[in-house]
Amino acid sequence: MIDGSSVSYFPELENNKPVNSSKWGILNVHLAKCSQVRTGYQWKYQYFDGFKIRIISSYDLKKLRRKIEGKGLPWIITDIKFATDAYDLNRVLLKKHAEVKKQYKNNRSNSGVKYVYKSKDIHARRGFYWMYVVPKNCTTTNQKTFCSSKLENLRERILGEGLEWNIVNYDLYNKIIKDEEALP
C-alpha cells in the first residue's frame, strides 16, 4: 500500500465468510491448559491488532468477556449451543477453582502464623525450613523472604526486622513451638 490505495494480497479470500472453528461458540475464544492457573485451564481470546497476534486470558470466561469488551473488542457468539456449553463448563471450572483455592489457603497455614509456611528442602535436617514471605504492601522492592529451621528463631528475626508476626492459630503455633523445644 504505497500510494494509499487498498491493495489486496489475497483477493480470493475477501468474499469468504469466516469459518467457525471454535468449539466454544464464541469468536476467537478457546480453552487451553495452563499450569499457572489452579484448575489447570484458562480461557484465551486471540486477536490481531494490526501488527501482531495478541492474547488476553482469564480463568473465568465472564471476566475474560469484561476484559475484551473493556478494550473495545467484539465478543461474538457464533453458536448459541456451544456458547452455553462453554458457560456451563466455566461454572464447573470456577467451582473447582474455589475448592482448590480454599484447600491451598488451608495448606499454607501449616504454621499457625500469617505469612509463614513450610518450604520443603532436601538439604534441611528436618526436610523443610520455615519460610516467612514479606507481604508486598510492606516492601517497595521485590518480594522478600526469610527462613529458619525453627519457628521461634524465625519469629525473633522477623520482629527484629520490624515486620508483623500475626498468630492466626494459637493451638497449632504452640504445638509446633513445644515440639521444636524438644529438638536438639
Side-chain angles (χ1 to χ4, degrees), residues 142-176:
N142 291 335
Q143 194 171 28
K144 285 175 88 174
T145 58
F146 297 91
C147 67
S148 179
S149 59
K150 291 191 174 185
L151 196 55
E152 185 61 26
N153 295 346
L154 183 60
R155 183 186 72 82
E156 291 171 10
R157 188 169 173 201
I158 295 306
L159 293 175
E161 291 284 330
L163 297 168
E164 61 182 270
W165 185 264
N166 292 333
I167 300 173
V168 293
N169 184 338
Y170 283 95
D171 294 335
L172 178 60
Y173 177 74
N174 290 331
K175 180 185 179 312
I176 291 169

Side-chain angles (χ1 to χ4, degrees), residues 109-164:
S109 179
N110 55 13
S111 66
V113 181
K114 192 173 184 179
Y115 309 126
V116 177
Y117 64 95
K118 284 182 183 178
S119 176
K120 291 182 183 179
D121 189 327
I122 60 171
H123 302 294
R125 195 169 33 167
R126 292 172 34 199
F128 68 91
Y129 287 106
W130 292 108
M131 187 78 68
Y132 181 96
V133 179
V134 178
K136 290 183 181 182
N137 61 350
C138 292
T139 179
T140 57
T141 61
N142 291 335
Q143 194 171 28
K144 285 175 88 174
T145 58
F146 297 91
C147 67
S148 179
S149 59
K150 291 191 174 185
L151 196 55
E152 185 61 26
N153 295 346
L154 183 60
R155 183 186 72 82
E156 291 171 10
R157 188 169 173 201
I158 295 306
L159 293 175
E161 291 284 330
L163 297 168
E164 61 182 270

Side-chain angles (χ1 to χ4, degrees), residues 66-136:
R66 286 192 297 271
K67 285 181 182 181
I68 299 309
E69 291 175 338
K71 288 189 173 283
L73 297 168
W75 185 266
I76 300 171
I77 304 294
T78 58
D79 187 313
I80 193 73
K81 182 190 177 319
F82 289 159
T84 303
D85 291 345
Y87 279 100
D88 289 344
L89 177 60
N90 188 60
R91 279 191 286 284
V92 171
L93 290 174
L94 286 176
K95 185 177 178 184
K96 182 179 176 185
H97 185 271
E99 289 170 2
V100 171
K101 185 176 180 180
K102 185 178 178 183
Q103 180 183 16
Y104 179 76
K105 270 187 167 178
N106 291 342
N107 288 344
R108 292 278 293 212
S109 179
N110 55 13
S111 66
V113 181
K114 192 173 184 179
Y115 309 126
V116 177
Y117 64 95
K118 284 182 183 178
S119 176
K120 291 182 183 179
D121 189 327
I122 60 171
H123 302 294
R125 195 169 33 167
R126 292 172 34 199
F128 68 91
Y129 287 106
W130 292 108
M131 187 78 68
Y132 181 96
V133 179
V134 178
K136 290 183 181 182

